[in-house]
Amino acid sequence: MPDALPAASLVEALHRLLGPRGVLTDPADVAPHLSDWRGLYRGAAQAVARPADAAEVAAVVRLCAEAGVPVVPQGGNTSMVGGATPDEAGRCVVLSLARLNRIRDLDPLDMTMTAEAGVVLKAAQDAAAAAGCLFPLSLGAEGTATIGGVLSTNAGGNTTVRYGNARELMLGLEVVLPDGGLWNGLRRLRKDNTGYALRHLFVGAEGTLGIVTAAVLRMFPRPRDTAVAFCAVASEDAALALFRRFRDRDESAVRAFEYMSGAGVGLAVRHIEGVTLPLAAPAAHYVLVDLASSRPDAGLRDMAEAVLAEAMEAGEVLDAALAESEAQAQKLWRIREEHPEAQKREGASVKNDVSVPVSRVPEMIRRCAAALTALIPGSRPVPFGHMGDGNIHMNLAQPEGMDPAAFLARSHDIMDCVNAIVRDLDGSFSAEHGIGRLKTDMMEDWRGGAELAAMRAIKAALDPRGLMNPGKVLP
Ligand code: FAD
Ligand code: MLT
Ligand code: ZN
């Protein structure tokens, strides 16, 4: 199809459509939109479009389609896989959803919230809390990541073990399709079997099939009783045994079960002001367990004490600190939440966001750590993450004193090394961060054949000209 609008006049047309607040072209204003949180990529773009509502998003997409110009959707730009960063060609328009930041509706009886794509995750949590409810999705980047971003990556985070991934928290979507058509699927129904569940196509599609402009989200009753414990455990197996003890006692109360290694906690204490070890002595393995119930009389603190006492008796738990207040609970959580930032400050690191069946997590951590230190002597494995979901960030910090660039040049060797073990354990090479730009080369090997062919057919049907976030997800 010939392009009706020459690319050169696209920026002018965007200016006419969106006004001066709606388009960024000054290099200083555009720059933050051209690189990723990890600093792996630096791209280029004609402009950053900042529409203010869904109709304007549709108009921007239509203009770009007419000009044959690629569109890169961007929320909070916290992607761990370069998903929101444009390529270096400089042809694309970055479409920021930041100004679509309204909560359109919140209904404590339906337990739903209709939020626009640019609503920051923390703002959605706060809005739910103000209405006496809970929006449970929680991750380290929640002060910046957006509803559109978490749905487009099907983000997981700390509470997946109890409430599921972002996908499970979504009932309806509003989406701008690649031709600029606006689909209003903002239904807030618990049951709706009316053909293909289109909304689920866009969750986890990383902006390659369309632009999410709003979503109906599920809320839950507000927790009225909580308990948070930070524990030193004897081994990876002891950590898993402790998970089982809590789950067997009351599965519905386990809101988060996070594993940390001595290496990761050491980095958080070293680099992050205010983070201290709440136990008498350092250990090689730690667990953070967070319990919550909507019943005020759930007795979770007593339950935690009883389970920890049993686990100590069994030699699984070496020491533990139970939060006495909300402030203390937040302090314990900070040790875990600051892991990504602490690793960043320590120097170069390679992330392996992998999952295996929960029962295989200890074996995975041990085998990967041994293989990685054999591959790069002096490198430091920093495994941590969502043990209750079988999702460990099998990250590797560079050897002290090594040139960071030389270490990062080995990134794909490092990822291959971990992935070979993960495959052997029936796992996945990307548990929650997605594919983005970083992992497209792994798709053929892991998802090739019928699965990748079906994905390509869906992409070709919805976006035949390949203008939606090109170079991401599909190889
Ligand atoms: P962006 O980074 O802007 O975009 C992510 C992808 O979605 C891109 O492909 C982009 O093109 C696309 N996109 C964005 N908005 C839209 C839209 N409205 N419509 C269509 N496509 C869109 N992730 C986890 O899953 N679990 C974690 O525990 C976790 N912890 C993190 C901790 C830190 C410190 C950081 C920096 C990141 C973490 N992440 C985690 C990764 C990241 O926060 C998530 O992937 C998050 O969902 C991205 O949201 P965002 O708004 O920043 O999206
Ligand atoms: C987290 O859970 O903190 C992030 O997803 C992990 C990471 O930074 O590797
Ligand atoms: Zn994570």
Side-chain angles (χ1 to χ4, degrees), residues 336 386 393 432-433:
R336 161 63 186 90
H386 321 294
H393 301 296
E432 58 172 10
H433 294 165

Side-chain angles (χ1 to χ4, degrees), residues 139-140 156-158 258 336 340 353 384-386 391-393 432-433:
L139 38 99
N158 303 327
E258 298 281 310
R336 161 63 186 90
D353 165 39
F384 64 94
H386 321 294
N391 171 199
I392 295 293
H393 301 296
E432 58 172 10
H433 294 165

Side-chain angles (χ1 to χ4, degrees), residues 160-459:
T160 305
V161 66
R162 166 72 180 81
Y163 298 100
N165 290 310
R167 181 187 301 285
E168 278 87 45
L169 301 173
M170 180 275 303
L171 293 174
L173 278 190
E174 181 186 77
V175 178
V176 170
L177 297 165
D179 63 359
L182 182 62
W183 170 51
N184 184 341
L186 288 174
R187 296 188 280 267
R188 45 182 169 158
L189 304 173
R190 307 281 159 162
K191 300 184 100 173
D192 176 27
N193 287 346
T194 49
Y196 303 146
L198 275 190
R199 65 190 185 282
H200 284 298
L201 268 186
F202 299 95
V203 177
E206 304 183 38
T208 60
L209 298 178
I211 311 233
V212 174
T213 50
V216 180
L217 304 169
R218 288 176 65 197
M219 298 193 297
F220 293 81
R222 171 175 71 88
R224 290 184 175 78
D225 187 22
T226 56
V228 175
F230 184 90
C231 319
V233 292
S235 63
E236 299 92 342
D237 293 290
L240 192 58
L242 185 63
F243 174 59
R244 190 170 179 182
R245 282 184 194 277
F246 276 108
R247 200 185 50 188
D248 287 355
R249 185 68 68 103
D250 184 355
E251 184 178 24
S252 68
V254 181
R255 180 164 63 170
F257 194 92
E258 298 281 310
Y259 169 85
M260 287 155 279
S261 69
V265 170
L267 292 183
V269 169
R270 185 182 320 159
H271 290 295
I272 310 291
E273 208 183 298
V275 170
T276 51
L277 185 68
L279 306 174
H285 311 276
Y286 300 96
V287 153
L288 187 143
V289 57
D290 186 317
L291 308 174
S293 170
S294 58
R295 280 177 37 218
D297 59 350
L300 294 179
R301 195 190 159 85
D302 290 349
M303 192 262 261
E305 276 176 358
V307 172
L308 290 173
E310 280 170 20
M312 276 186 184
E313 185 75 24
E316 293 156 9
V317 169
L318 308 174
D319 193 6
L322 251 174
E324 302 282 349
S325 62
E326 179 55 29
Q328 274 188 18
Q330 282 179 16
K331 207 159 177 239
L332 297 183
W333 259 112
R334 262 197 94 205
I335 306 170
R336 161 63 186 90
E337 293 272 80
E338 294 288 1
H339 267 55
E341 182 61 33
Q343 259 209 284
K344 200 174 179 182
R345 293 189 193 174
E346 178 69 6
S349 71
V350 171
K351 290 183 188 292
N352 296 285
D353 165 39
V354 295
S355 60
V356 292
V358 176
S359 59
R360 294 180 148 185
V361 166
E363 182 184 351
M364 188 271 285
I365 295 176
R366 275 194 298 272
R367 281 175 62 183
C368 288
L372 288 169
T373 44
L375 182 73
I376 304 192
S379 66
R380 293 161 292 160
V382 186
F384 64 94
H386 321 294
M387 186 175 222
D389 311 315
N391 171 199
I392 295 293
H393 301 296
M394 197 61 231
N395 297 353
L396 190 67
Q398 65 166 85
E400 277 171 290
M402 184 175 180
D403 171 23
F407 177 72
L408 289 178
R410 304 288 309 276
S411 292
H412 280 265
D413 296 342
I414 292 167
M415 291 191 277
D416 288 349
C417 170
V418 168
N419 286 346
I421 294 164
V422 167
R423 187 190 286 263
D424 190 46
L425 295 173
D426 299 328
S428 169
F429 68 105
S430 185
E432 58 172 10
H433 294 165
I435 303 301
R437 184 167 167 184
L438 184 67
K439 298 187 176 179
T440 49
D441 66 326
M442 301 174 193
M443 285 294 275
E444 195 73 60
D445 187 27
W446 282 79
R447 298 288 175 255
E451 195 170 354
L452 193 51
M455 289 190 211
R456 286 193 164 120
I458 292 168
K459 172 78 173 170

Side-chain angles (χ1 to χ4, degrees), residues 136-149:
L137 191 72
S138 169
L139 38 99
E142 65 197 21
T144 312
T146 60
I147 293 303

Side-chain angles (χ1 to χ4, degrees), residues 37 73 75-80 83 146 150 152-153 155-157 206-207 212 432 469:
W37 188 85
N77 199 16
T78 63
S79 170
M80 289 285 193
T146 60
V150 298
S152 298
T153 58
E206 304 183 38
V212 174
E432 58 172 10
N469 211 5

